[in-house]
Amino acid sequence: MQTALTDLLGIEHPVMLAGMGGVSYAPLVTAVSEAGGFGCLGASTMGTDEMGAEMRAVRAATDKPFGVDLLTAATADLTPAVRRIIEGGASVFVAGLGVPRDVVELCHSRGVLVVNMCGKVRHAVLAVEAGCDIVVAQGTEAGGHTGQVATMALVPQVVDAVGDRVPVVAAGGIFDGRGLAAALALGAAGVWVGTRFIATPEARAVPGYKDTLLVTGEDGTTISRAYTGKTCRVIRNPYTQYFDDHPTELQPFPAQIRRSSADNAFHLGAPSDAEGIDPTKEFFPAGQGVGAIDELVGAAELVRRFVDEAEAALAAISSRVAL
Ligand SMILES: Cc1cc2nc3c(=O)[nH]c(=O)nc-3n(C[C@H](O)[C@H](O)[C@H](O)COP(=O)(O)O)c2cc1C
């Protein structure tokens, strides 16, 4: 399945692993890239040395392309981290929050592509004007920090605004090949998938996270500022309810992270065998597609399923719809 995205990234399938902080570490990134998708490390929860070690681990396991995602709003000067990303052999830098104007030229001078996460048309236009090479249009259905516009409405409007200049990738609530087929129909050149890849054996996740995803329905998430101070789609629980009931206690980003950590509710990025996690109040970012997840599936198998199901979905349209 070849698109403008697969051509630009040098990959086989238009399926990108979201650079999820606390989840997308070397084993998951390697599995997705080796399967012909695009693996992306989620470095927002990593120190610089840890990020370097994760990049070396990916490089040792595969020579396929991979990327690194940083939450740009969390870092004042991106240049040192981006230099490490370039030196580590990544072919793509993904800016998670905000347009990374200051580092676009640096990345391009070293042959590294810049991707920007966007929740609004205006963000996508600014990103492309700043020189970004790919935009991810992320709808509100998405797990993690998210905006208010739904994927179905956002993607075609971003495609109309910038799709003639850069590939647009759809994100938010996409969990199988039907979502990939729909994204292609909306004009996207591929998908950026988060939550579905958490429920894989390769993903890092604190105890209770994957189990919670398996039993949560499509209405079991909420957008809350309880964990980071920014609007974040997470599994709804008594902790998110507390801040719904006491909104004046919320601190702005990133101060609220100190509060949720002190409350023993924030362990994103902790090892899979971390102790003392209370799943009834823990920070479990998840998108609305969570209701469709009822088993762990290997990451490579997931990439294959996305492509096979998308091809089947596209073929099935012509048998179901008389044109
Ligand atoms: C656990 C988790 C952590 C995330 N961390 C980041 C991050 O550090 N940077 C970023 O750009 N996006 C982050 N996101 C958002 C994803 O990149 C992606 O846009 C989102 O997961 C797509 O929606 P989906 O979860 O419905 O597939 C995160 C999402 C999840 C679920």
Side-chain angles (χ1 to χ4, degrees), residues 18-21 23 42 44 69-71 94-97 117 136 138 141-145 171-174 192-196 198 209 268 285-289:
M20 292 176 282
V23 173
S44 62
D69 178 298
L70 288 178
L71 275 187
V94 182
L97 287 175
M117 303 293 300
V136 178
Q138 186 205 274
E141 298 95 316
H145 290 127
I174 296 167
W192 168 267
V193 179
T195 303
R196 177 58 264 200
I198 306 172
Y209 195 173
L268 196 66
Q288 290 180 324

Side-chain angles (χ1 to χ4, degrees), residues 197-282:
F197 276 111
I198 306 172
T200 59
E202 294 92 341
R204 183 186 294 206
V206 294
Y209 195 173
K210 295 180 188 180
D211 293 339
T212 301
L213 297 188
L214 298 180
V215 298
T216 303
E218 79 287 356
D219 60 350
T221 70
T222 186
I223 293 182
S224 174
R225 291 175 52 211
Y227 295 101
T228 70
K230 272 192 187 297
T231 51
C232 197
R233 186 175 292 285
V234 299
I235 300 292
R236 187 174 49 243
N237 62 30
Y239 193 72
T240 62
Q241 187 61 50
Y242 178 85
F243 284 98
D244 286 348
D245 297 338
H246 303 83
T248 55
E249 289 188 31
L250 285 164
Q251 303 285 314
F253 176 87
Q256 184 68 19
I257 296 176
R258 285 193 286 279
R259 167 72 192 267
S260 57
S261 300
D263 289 342
N264 194 38
F266 186 116
H267 299 84
L268 196 66
S272 302
D273 59 357
E275 290 180 2
I277 309 286
D278 176 357
T280 65
K281 68 175 183 181
E282 179 59 31

